[in-house]
């Protein structure tokens, strides 16, 4: 018997057939309606718009799902970036994994605290604990002043994500160069098609488990070619091996024909990223340890630089 | 080539060897110290104590973890039960999956809202939105009045969970029948041993992925036999197929020799459970749809019945 571990074989399905064989998420129609009215409401503003995707997708191992494969991502990159886009005047559609970090609210979650830990009883009145008051007030002001330009949509599974991405892309596509796609979500590379899945919880009585998973087709191709061909598209690449980073980013740009890859390493991603384009040397963005410890987000630099390039992209189009 | 899907083979390692081959979590020593001083502080109170485990464990697929297999569990059962144990006067050690639901705070998370959504600005002052005030105040009162009897400890991976479970069990064991174990966490059945794991992110360029996972040894056996042999131990069984529920629960009781299995089905678990013991017919607990919709937790009934049986267990021991 082979030892526990992983092995790879060849077989990839066509992106187009994926949608025929998987069920759309319950919030698809609602999302269509919400995005359409969001775009309608802000039509006259001529603000740039960005779709930010954030958090990891899951792939179920059983049709009655007890177990699933997940991708490591709290949604820090996406939620922090959404804040920066809002501060630069963008309209933001935030497509995020349910229960992952959300803009502004991200500072008060995933930290072993809950709502009640920020509150106190003061003579019978519920108030915010003075230790947090200043920060809470500052974030609340920012949140309230930009909430109107933020539309949040949730996904859980890979399949939810792909259906929602296609739907939103088609609605945003008519805005052409005015729209940016900032695809920071950690999307699964492998899945088990619904028809090959175990119906009930996989039983553990009989020893080892062998899972055979299919590769997820690359949806960046139809996104760039068909769904939103005139938009400014930024994809992300997370690796753990630095040697693979630039070649894989360049390869993606050549293969899919989009504008920028933001490349980063699992262990240094909070303070260092590379912006990779087809024609130029990678541009490295990084912040110091002091700035990082002082609470500065590298997303401020990433988004500022991308907004600058997006502006150039729009002006070439004008 | 076989289709995508699952296959099983035989091979299970010894529970004792598990700890030799896996690295303890960063919070192991801190948890030891916290539990020891929690027990010391409440020594004179003679209150019963319960260890509640809650949420799902993860198993990494890579040593530099980008992907992992997760178990479906928000931690509803565990967090709601911890509240009930506190209301009955228990001391509670709550061992929960990081970012899963916590007692009292659970009502304000995993609902697409964050802290800022419960607050408002009122003449420049931050206050709780009146729509939530009554509920928040009621939960805050309960939380503040029982916080002193609640110790919360987090885990993420299967390995974290097992090390922490063993450590806490050994510290609690000397309390004998006064201690209950309420093992509601959804623990992985399969894992990839560290030495067989891919070092870097598994590459997706080459087609299908085959994962070969080993079965996790059953830690209920050493828990009941060696770590805490005199305590009152309640395990959980979640299935999707009703036919397997009672036989699997009875089988576990005979195999491990503990006191009770709480058996439930994925789709009805919020309003129906069975308490299964070795000698009696299963006792079904259920609440009506009306009660469920009105916000009643079935955990109120489960915990009341278990506390009653725990009292009997203690009195037989006296």
């Amino acid at each position: 018997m082979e030892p526990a571990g992983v092995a790879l074989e060849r077989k990839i399905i066509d992106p187009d057939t994926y949608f025929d064989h998987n069920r759309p998420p319950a919030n698809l129609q609602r999302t269509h309606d919400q995005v359409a009215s969001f775009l309608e409401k802000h039509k006259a503003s001529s603000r740039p718009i960005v779709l930010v995707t954030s958090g990891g997708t899951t792939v179920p191992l059983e049709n009655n799902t007890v177990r699933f494969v997940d991708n490591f991502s709290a949604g820090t990159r996406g939620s922090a970036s959404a804040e920066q886009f809002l501060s630069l005047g963008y309209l933001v559609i935030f497509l995020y994994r349910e229960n992952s970090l959300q803009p502004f609210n991200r500072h008060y979650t995933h930290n072993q605290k809950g709502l009640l830990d920020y509150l106190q009883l003061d003579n019978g009145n519920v108030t915010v604990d003075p230790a947090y008051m200043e920060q809470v007030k500052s974030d609340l002001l920012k949140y309230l002043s930009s909430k109107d330009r933020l539309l949040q949509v949730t996904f859980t599974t890979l399949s939810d994500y792909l259906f929602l991405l296609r739907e939103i892309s088609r609605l945003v596509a008519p805005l052409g160069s005015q729209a940016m796609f900032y695809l920071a979500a950690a999307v699964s590379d492998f899945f088990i098609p619904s028809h090959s899945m175990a119906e009930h919880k996989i039983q553990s009585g009989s020893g080892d488990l062998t899972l055979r998973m299919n590769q997820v087709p690359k949806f960046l191709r139809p996104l760039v070619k068909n769904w939103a061909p005139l938009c400014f598209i930024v994809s992300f690449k997370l690796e753990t091996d630095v040697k693979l980073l630039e070649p894989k980013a360049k390869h993606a740009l050549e293969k899919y024909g989009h504008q920028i890859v933001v490349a980063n390493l699992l262990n240094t991603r909070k303070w260092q990223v590379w912006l990779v384009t087809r024609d130029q040397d990678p541009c490295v963005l990084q912040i110091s340890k002091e700035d990082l410890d002082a609470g500065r987000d590298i997303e401020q630099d990433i988004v500022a630089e991308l907004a600058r390039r997006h502006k150039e992209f729009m002006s070439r189009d004008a």
Side-chain angles (χ1 to χ4, degrees), chain A:
Chain A
M1 194 171 69
E2 287 173 62
V6 299
L8 291 162
E9 290 172 42
R10 299 189 170 276
K11 186 181 161 206
I12 309 173
I13 67 162
D14 189 306
D16 295 333
T17 67
Y18 182 90
F19 294 103
D20 299 332
H21 292 94
N22 287 277
R23 209 176 297 164
N27 64 341
L28 186 65
Q29 184 58 47
R30 189 169 70 244
T31 298
H32 175 100
D33 298 345
Q34 285 173 332
V35 171
S37 70
F38 183 73
L39 296 178
E40 179 62 27
K41 187 172 72 177
H42 293 284
K43 201 169 53 177
S45 78
S46 78
R47 290 177 183 274
I49 184 167
V50 63
L51 170 67
V52 175
T53 70
S54 185
T57 65
T58 66
V59 294
L61 301 183
E62 298 138 328
N63 274 322
N64 282 294
T65 304
V66 175
R67 302 192 185 88
F68 53 91
V69 177
D70 204 344
N71 266 43
F72 169 83
S73 172
T76 310
R77 180 79 86 217
S79 59
S81 300
E83 288 177 19
Q84 296 302 328
F85 280 115
L86 288 167
S87 79
L88 295 180
Y90 273 76
L91 303 173
V92 175
I93 300 174
F94 186 65
L95 177 61
Y96 76 107
R97 163 72 176 278
E98 190 155 28
N99 304 327
S100 71
L101 298 177
Q102 294 170 259
F104 308 109
N105 273 313
R106 70 187 171 106
H107 302 292
Y108 308 98
T109 182
H110 288 52
N111 58 0
Q112 302 182 21
K113 289 201 187 75
L115 175 75
L116 303 175
D117 295 297
Y118 292 98
L119 302 178
Q120 62 174 13
L121 270 176
D122 187 12
N123 287 322
N125 294 315
V126 181
T127 56
V128 175
D129 184 326
Y132 305 110
M133 184 54 111
E134 198 186 342
Q135 180 68 40
V136 167
K137 192 169 174 179
S138 154
D139 284 324
L140 186 59
L141 278 166
K142 285 187 230 166
Y143 185 44
L144 294 176
S145 72
S146 55
K147 218 176 157 180
D148 185 52
R149 285 184 286 116
L150 171 65
L151 176 66
Q152 306 197 76
V153 178
T154 61
F155 65 83
T156 301
T157 65
L158 168 70
S159 173
D160 298 348
Y161 173 79
L162 292 173
F163 273 99
L164 292 165
L165 177 65
R166 183 176 67 165
E167 196 70 22
I168 297 169
S169 300
R170 288 171 168 176
L171 288 163
V172 164
L175 297 172
S177 66
Q178 202 181 329
M180 187 193 302
F181 286 70
Y182 184 88
L183 305 169
V187 181
S188 318
D189 291 311
F190 301 101
F191 77 114
I192 300 184
S194 190
H195 63 270
S196 317
M197 245 185 264
E199 193 58 31
H200 287 290
K201 185 179 173 190
I202 300 163
Q203 295 301 316
S204 63
S206 28
D208 283 7
L209 173 75
T210 301
L211 286 178
R212 193 178 288 273
M213 303 180 79
N214 289 166
Q215 191 174 335
V216 175
K218 298 298 182 188
F219 284 87
L220 202 47
R221 187 190 299 277
L223 175 66
V224 176
K225 291 253 185 306
N226 309 322
W227 304 343
L230 303 176
C231 301
F232 186 76
I233 297 177
V234 181
S235 74
F236 283 72
K237 197 150 270 300
L238 175 72
E239 292 293 337
T240 65
D241 185 351
V242 69
K243 294 192 300 294
L244 293 175
L245 207 53
E246 193 187 332
K248 291 201 70 171
K250 288 270 188 192
H251 180 71
L253 289 164
E254 269 150 40
K255 198 162 161 190
Y256 308 119
H258 60 305
Q259 282 67 40
I260 298 187
V261 172
V262 180
N264 55 159
L265 290 171
L266 185 64
N267 294 323
T268 66
R269 69 193 188 287
K270 289 195 191 296
W271 51 273
Q272 189 176 42
V273 307
W274 292 262
L275 302 191
V276 187
T277 55
R278 246 164 306 169
D279 314 323
Q280 292 157 306
D281 280 340
C283 155
V284 60
L285 297 177
Q286 59 187 46
I287 58 175
S288 67
K289 197 180 165 344
E290 291 71 37
D291 283 352
L292 186 69
D293 293 344
R296 182 186 170 87
D297 295 319
I298 192 173
E299 287 74 16
Q300 205 173 320
D301 305 84
I302 301 173
V303 169
E305 178 60 22
L306 289 176
R308 196 185 63 71
R309 297 193 189 192
H310 184 207
K311 206 167 172 182
E312 277 178 21
F313 183 82
M314 284 187 273
S315 69
R316 282 202 299 276
D317 193 49

